[in-house]
Structures are given as structure tokens and as C-alpha cells.
Amino acid sequence: MVHATSSMLHGINAHYLEDVLRQYRLDPTSVEPSWRAFFEGEGRELVQGPAPADGPRFRPRGLFAAGGDGKAGVQEVDLELLTAQVRVVQLIDAYRAHGHFKAALDPLGLSRRGAPIELDPWYWGFTEADMDQTFSTAALFGPQSMTLREVIAFLEDTYARSIGAEFMHINDAEVQAWLQERCERTRNHCDLDRATQIFIVEQLAAAEAFEQFLHVKYRGKKRFSLEGAEALIPMLALLVEETARRGVSDVVMGMAHRGRLNVLANIFGKNRRAIFGEFDDMGAEDQLGRGDVKYHLGYSSDQVTRFGHRVHLSLTCNPSHLEAVNPVVEGRVRAKQDRFADSDRTRCLPVLIHGDAAFPGQGLVSETLNLMGLEGYSTGGTIHIIVNNQIGFTTVPEDSRSSPYCTDIAKMNEVPIFHVNGEDPEAVAQVVRIAAEFRQTFHRDVIIDMYCFRRYGHNEGDEPAFTQPLMYQAIDAHPPVLKSYATQLETSGLITTDEVAGIAEAQQRMLEEELEELHKGPNGKKLESAFEGVWSGYHGGPLSTAVEVPTAVPRERLEAILKGLATWPDDFQVNPKIERLVRGREKIVTDNQAFDWGTGELLAYGALVLDGHPVRISGQDVRRGTFSHRHAVLTDPTSGRQYTPLANLSPDQARFEIYNSPLSEAAVLGFEYGYAMDTPEALVIWEAQFGDFVNGAQVIIDQFIVASEDKWRRNSGVVLLLPHGYEGQGPEHSSGRVERFLQMCAEDNIQVCNVTTPGQMFHLLRRQVLRKWRKPLVVMTPKSLLRHKRATSTLSDLAEGGFERVIPERLLEDAAAVQRVVLCSGKVYYDLLERREATGDTATALVRVEELYPFPEADIRAAVAAHPNATEVVWCQEEPENMGSYYFMFPRLYRMYGATGPSLRWESRAASASPATGSPTAHSIEQADLLDRVFGKRGA
């Protein structure tokens, strides 16, 4: 029997004790009121017995070991012992939650964090007299009983040595228990065989020799040295081994420039001569106006681990925008997983290497972390590695974040975090093993935060002592990790000084030979082909090399797609309004009706998947469409069940996937860009909710989409759909910022279109996939035109012809009577057409420039020449003069017509700091004024 008084319960949290008793089915059958007050009701009985069969796989550890019959092994207990036992459990949980604060993580020993008071046994009421008392330690994954002194030593060794583990913020009890077991079974020690210890020495020696060689041979040149963080190399080598042992065959990495050259040489096996050639700047003539610095470049290779596992490694190109590569890597991995039919997401692994300042400082990190568990973006978990130099350029942690750790933002996703001292290579090996197993078991992200330092400044030309004099005094006096680890092994008799020296000398000799071979060979470097593997048969380059392909689809196939769009399972209900819309599409066949934009778009997707080309679309609200025009996914109003007709057209069709995205532009567009990089055969689309929101992804556009072919020789066929058009909806709901894309157009790097009919959109999307010429496509898509009575097409438009870069005037009967040719693009065409018809004007031809870039000069000339008596060419846009296509079209049209031929005139809204007015009435006034000026004279 258990009897208690209030005084005997001193120091025990009431709810904690209640939870413990309930969890471990202890039976307080006779409790006096002072104890009963801790419970919800008088005389409450706690069920006694074994855990249910359907309980968690990993039962939490508790106060007492279970008896042989599975029942709690305690029926009567001394209450003082019980309260002391509960306090032991509280101390154990305190170490699990806060032990990391006490861990010796900083190799320089400069960190001055005090240990939390909860880790002090006196805080829990223990005295020196209790230290040798024996307690049950069933709460630990270790010995079942220990003295309090042994318990504290156990916890210190496990949670406060060279590894600081954070996982108590995870709400999943099974995950928590799994991590506790992995840490506590070994006391967070890694038993390495001698071969692995020598392997670590070799990796450290390779890392150190590479950096020192470059420091001597290329003094003063930027390389973003890894010195001070050399343990990254054995960490990555062991990570590849550990994940390969667990089924990983492809690893895609992303990282900024710190240590990148070292990783390329020692993990990816990039030829050192190629790296030295980049330092020598050989073959500069081939890089005029293109290329990138050596520490931004990517690489791929096949490596074989010590245990015979073959792994394909790929390092993704990355600009100086440190974390911009993160979503690109995730997209590439998802594409590979889809290609391999890797539904478990265990075969292909994303690894992201961060800096400690960038991880909390760059918003793309949290945007990408948020993708972890989302249906359309999950990659089965990412292993994050933070090279924690404890400084960002010249900024110390106290000035760069508001939290104790740079990793704290990851707690929002309940990601386990392992802080580790990079000067303890065997602790590094331990966290690598746990991280690799965790990712493959739970398919979730995990973080390794490796504390280290930066031996030089931000680059090798900086003087870091200007801003961190004390830190760099400590760094100057600190030995390299190779020396300290080798000394540890020598002391243990596992390696000799001569063996270590031999390993280092072999590395130095190899580097000298590689440099000598480079200088003997031709002065040039072989460029890696970008069109191998899945890219074989595709190409980039100028538009002149693109071979046009037919994009029309036989009418009977179009009719079959329309039927499929209106078909769903017998037990599936459709919202009545949506059903009327979908059933209306059937009349396109029976009544030969014209159809709207949404129908033309869906027909394009259906024709592509039936041709064997996967289609992937993502963005905010894309399943329905921001403007309720698409309805690619139907929802049963009674059950909430969803059905995607385009994914069920035929048993042998290609994949059709459409995903509503999180409220992110940069991460989602980066993901789709990465996905398109590894699926050239697919149509990959990102749609902005409104075109204006694209500026939230500007880094991805600037650094990857428009420049990757020129910088890195990497192509992508990603498509951006940006709803665009001036309808009086305000500054953030009008402009897709076409001017920004046009300003970046050069060397046929991207395609920019503003099309006006569903048929044009149909052929454009099919052309994007069917041509072997791969370039990103930016489309200014409509809003009001989605339901405009004249923005329609027929099945004949899709079954015949193809995409027209320029649509000439076709409605006026007498071409010779035309005196004015108005060139325009997009929705404003219909405004011009309505004004022309309202005024009975037969002297003004309207020519639509559907593809703005690559600039269709020949097509424009032909459209204007069709009106031989025209004396004026007008460029009309509804955007302000400083936006839209004005400054792009002006020099080109001036070159064509400025000296000879028709006179030129330009009409637009007045230049403005804001894209559009927020007043519908003001918009109407502005639009009417614009049309007045087009059909009259300037200033009229």
C-alpha cells in the first residue's frame, strides 16, 4: 500500500507524478486526501498490466522495470524512495532536454554558456549523501539500476560531452524514444574499427593537404578555405557510406562556397588538374561573357564506397546567394525519385550544407524546411549539415540571431538536431550514423551542427583580427584536427607517427604530380557536357538550332480527352456548379462550340500525358486555379474525397500531378526549377497566384532560371505562368513584371510570351515539350480573358496549325485601306478591338506579338508589310511607360522602322513608381485615355 502526506511530496511536480503513475500502471489503492489532490478525481484507479498490443513500437522508459508477467514490479513502496525515484527520472529528462547546453561543443573553448540549473542534482533535492544510493534506471536505455553518481556520469557522457542532442521538442513519442535509445545504448560513443579510424585520418589528411597546397601555390587567390572545419570531409565520406549501406544510390548535395573546392576534390573526385586549371584561369577565351567562379560550379560522379556500394553523387551549382540552392536540390531529388519510382523515397538522398550565419538568416531555409512533409514536395527527409564557424563574415552569433543556436528555426518542424564538436572525429562519426539511420527509418529531416572555426578570414585576402582579435588569437594557437586526432590514436597505440606522416606525404606528392601534369598539358580545360544521361538528345544554344515540331492533335484524341475530363467514378459526387461547367465541355464536341482558356489548357495537359510526357504543376491554389478556371482536381462535397481526371485518362499514360503549394514563391519555384533540371521530357509548371508575386522569387529567377545555361551550362525547361493584365485590381494584382524578364533576355536564354487565345496556349505548351530545344518559358497568362467572350478557340484550332509568334490582322477585309498598324501584346488587344469596332475604324490594323522573346522580327515585318499603305506603326501597352515591353521594343522597332518606312509612335500609361492604380474608376479613366491616344494622335 502507498500512503503519502503533502510534506513527503516536496519537490515533485504533481502533474509529472500523475503522468508517471498512469503511464506505468502503478496502483495507488489507498491514498489519503493530500495525495488524492494530485489526481483528477477521488479514488481514481489506474489500469495495471502490460502495454496494449496496438501500442507504440518503442515504449517510453519509466520508473521501474516490468516484472516477468508484464505487470509493474511494484505494489508497495516507501514513499520517500518513490519521490526520490521520480526526481531521478526528472533529472534524466532534464539532461535529455538541456544536456546539450553543457556539452563541450566549441573547439576553441571560447563559448561561455552556463549549464542550466536543471542539470544540477541539488536542484532536484539531492545531496552528497544521496550520490551512492542505488536507483532504478529503467527510464534509461542502459543499465537497469545505478547509483546516483553513476546516473550523472552516464548522462554527462551521453548528453554533455562532444555531442549535444536536441529531440525533446519532438511530439512523436516513438521518434523521441528511438532517438533516446540510439544515444543512450552507446552513451553517444561510436565504436570504430581500426580501418575506419585510419580512413578518418586519411580523409583529414586529404582535406588539410589540399588547402595547404592551394595556400602555397595560389597565394592570395580566393578559395574559401575549409581549414578549421576539415572534419567535414570525413563526415561526408562516412555519410555516403552509411546511407549507401541503407539503400541510397543517389545523393544530391547543395552547399555554398566555404569548402566547396575541397568537397569537389575529396568527396566527388573531381580531377585536381581541372581545379588547378581554374586557378590558372586557363581557356579564358571560351569563357568570354559566360562561365562562373570555380567555387560556384557543380559536378557529378560515380563513387564506390569502401564496402563496394556504388553511389552517384551530384553537387548542384550555386551562386553566392548562399541558401538559394536548397529548394533546387529538393526538386532534383524529387524528380529522381519519381523517375526511379522510389515511392518510399529511400533511394535518393538530399544533403544540404549550410553556414551557421546563413541558416537562421536566410528565409529560404525555413521555406525549404517547410516542404519536408508536404505531399507534393516531400523527398523523404534531408540531411542538413551546418559548418558552424561561429562567425558570419565579420558578424558574431550574438549579432546574427536571437536564439541560442543557429538551428533553432528547425524546431518548427520538429527536426532532431545534433550539435557536435568538429575536433572529435569519432563523435562526428556517431552523429553521422544516427542521422543516416534516422532519415532512412522515419523519412524526416535531421540536422548535424558541426562546431568548428574558420582559420582565415571570410576569404584568404581578409584580415579577421580587425574585428575578432580574441577569436583569432585562439585560432592561431590551435592545432589542426588531423594532429590532435592522430595524437589520440597514437596514444592508444592504434597508429604510429610514421604512418600519419606517410599518409600526409602521399597526399602532398599526389597534388604536386597533378599540378605538374597540368603544366605539361595543353593550356585549356575540357568542359563537362551538360547533355548526357537523361539530357541526351536535348540541347540549348541559339534559337536557330531549334527544330520546329508539329503540335496539332487529331480531333478524335481531343474528343477522348474531353470525355475523360467529364468522367469520374460512379461513387464519386461532384459539386453541382462544377459539374455544369465540366458537362458543358462535352458540348464542345457535340455542338462544335468555342471553348475557354481553362479547357484549352487542360486539353494541352491531357494530350501531353497521353503522348507519354509527364506533367507537373504547382503553385498557390493551382488545383482549382486562383480564378476558378481550371478545376483539375474535383472534390466530392459529401466526403471530401478528391479525383483528378487528367491522371486517369488511360492506363498507360504518363504522370499528371498538380499540387497546391505552401504560401511561398522562392522555395516552390526553386523546387520546380530543380525538378525540371532532372526531367527534360516533362512539362514542369509553376504558377503564381498573381503575376506580381513573382518578385518573391527573384533570386531564383536571376541566378538560376535566366542565367544557368550561360554560367553553368545547365538547362531547364521550367514554365512560369504569371497572371497579368490591367483590370483595376490594384498594384499587386496587375503586373507580372514582364519588363524584368525582358531586361534579362539575351542569347536566347529564355522565352517570354503573352498569348491571347486558348489555342495559342495549347500549342505553346506542347511546343515547350515536343521541341528538343530546352529553355525556360515565361508566360503572362490572363485573368479577365479566362472568361472573355472573344478569347476562345475551337477544336479545329487545336487539330490544325501551331503556335504563332505573331498573329497578324485577320478581321479587316481591305488590307490596302489600313493606314495605321498597332502592335500590342496580351489582353490589351481585346480592349483595342472593342474600341475599333465601336468607332467603325477600318484603317487601323491590330497585330498581336505573342512571343516577345526571342524577338520575332521577321514575323513582325511580315505582319506590317501586309498593309503596304500604312504610314504609322504604333506600339501600345497598358502598362506604364517604364514597365511592360516599352524599353525592350523601342530599340528593336526603331532599328526596323526608325530610318525608313512607317513612322513610329508609342502609347502607354505614364511612367509610374507603382504598377497600377487601386481605384477601378481611375483605371477605367486611364484605359479610356490610352485607347483615345492610340486611335487619335499623341496628346489628343
Side-chain angles (χ1 to χ4, degrees), residues 580-830:
R580 283 196 297 272
L581 171 68
V582 175
R583 296 298 185 198
R585 290 169 178 161
E586 293 180 308
K587 296 180 180 179
I588 295 169
V589 177
T590 56
D591 301 343
N592 199 30
Q593 290 183 352
F595 53 80
D596 62 9
W597 197 277
T599 303
E601 187 186 328
L602 295 175
L603 284 168
Y605 303 146
L608 285 170
V609 296
L610 290 178
D611 287 343
H613 296 281
V615 173
R616 176 186 166 92
I617 308 168
S618 82
Q620 295 154 22
D621 309 294
V622 294
R623 286 177 165 174
R624 189 202 77 168
T626 297
F627 311 101
S628 196
H629 81 286
R630 184 174 290 125
H631 297 289
V633 177
L634 306 177
T635 302
D636 188 315
T638 59
S639 67
R641 179 179 156 207
Q642 294 189 320
Y643 182 76
T644 306
L646 284 170
N648 296 278
L649 296 177
S650 169
D652 56 355
Q653 70 173 73
R655 291 189 315 276
F656 176 82
E657 299 175 308
I658 184 165
Y659 297 107
N660 287 342
S661 76
L663 198 63
S664 160
E665 285 80 39
V668 177
L669 179 55
F671 188 100
E672 301 309 334
Y673 166 80
Y675 194 97
M677 281 183 67
D678 277 73
T679 51
E681 75 280 11
L683 178 66
V684 181
I685 294 175
W686 174 71
E687 181 178 60
Q689 193 172 60
F690 284 87
D692 314 64
F693 299 168
V694 73
N695 55 18
Q698 202 65 49
V699 168
I700 301 298
I701 294 163
D702 292 354
Q703 301 302 326
F704 290 94
I705 291 176
V706 303
S708 63
E709 182 178 11
D710 229 23
K711 293 195 298 185
W712 306 318
R713 302 183 72 249
R714 292 293 182 268
N715 290 66
S716 169
V718 68
V719 178
L720 281 65
L721 302 185
L722 310 179
H724 175 91
Y726 282 58
E727 289 107 350
Q729 295 190 51
E732 280 73 58
H733 297 83
S734 298
S735 176
R737 293 293 190 175
V738 64
E739 66 276 0
R740 294 182 180 174
F741 293 98
L742 294 175
Q743 185 182 34
M744 293 183 285
C745 288
E747 302 177 291
D748 297 340
N749 60 331
I750 60 174
Q751 307 160 86
V752 181
C753 297
N754 193 359
V755 298
T756 54
T757 71
Q760 280 283 87
M761 187 67 170
F762 175 90
H763 290 293
L764 176 64
L765 292 175
R766 284 182 54 76
R767 185 186 74 166
Q768 178 68 3
V769 178
L770 299 180
R771 285 196 301 190
K772 297 298 184 181
W773 188 69
R774 279 291 171 272
K775 298 295 173 95
L777 169 63
V778 180
V779 187
M780 300 292 126
T781 55
K783 302 193 297 289
S784 62
L785 294 193
L786 294 173
R787 295 173 182 84
H788 196 285
K789 62 181 183 296
R790 304 188 74 155
T792 60
S793 297
T794 65
L795 288 182
S796 297
D797 296 324
L798 278 52
E800 301 168 7
F803 178 70
E804 295 182 88
R805 293 181 172 88
V806 173
I807 300 179
E809 173 61 61
R810 290 188 175 130
L811 298 178
L812 295 178
E813 295 181 0
D814 188 357
V818 169
Q819 298 177 8
R820 176 193 298 123
V821 177
V822 178
L823 302 174
C824 63
S825 184
K827 169 240 169 197
V828 74
Y829 164 76
Y830 291 99

Side-chain angles (χ1 to χ4, degrees), residues 58 86 171 215 481 486 548 599 627-628 683 728 895 932 937:
F58 300 98
V86 170
N171 290 316
H215 190 67
V481 61
E548 293 301 323
T599 303
F627 311 101
S628 196
L683 178 66
R895 186 181 65 245
D932 288 343
K937 295 182 179 179

Side-chain angles (χ1 to χ4, degrees), residues 7 23 37 120 141 143 179 211 458 475 570 594 723:
S7 61
Q23 187 177 86
D120 192 328
F141 290 93
L179 290 164
E211 296 294 353
H458 177 67
I475 289 173
D570 293 337

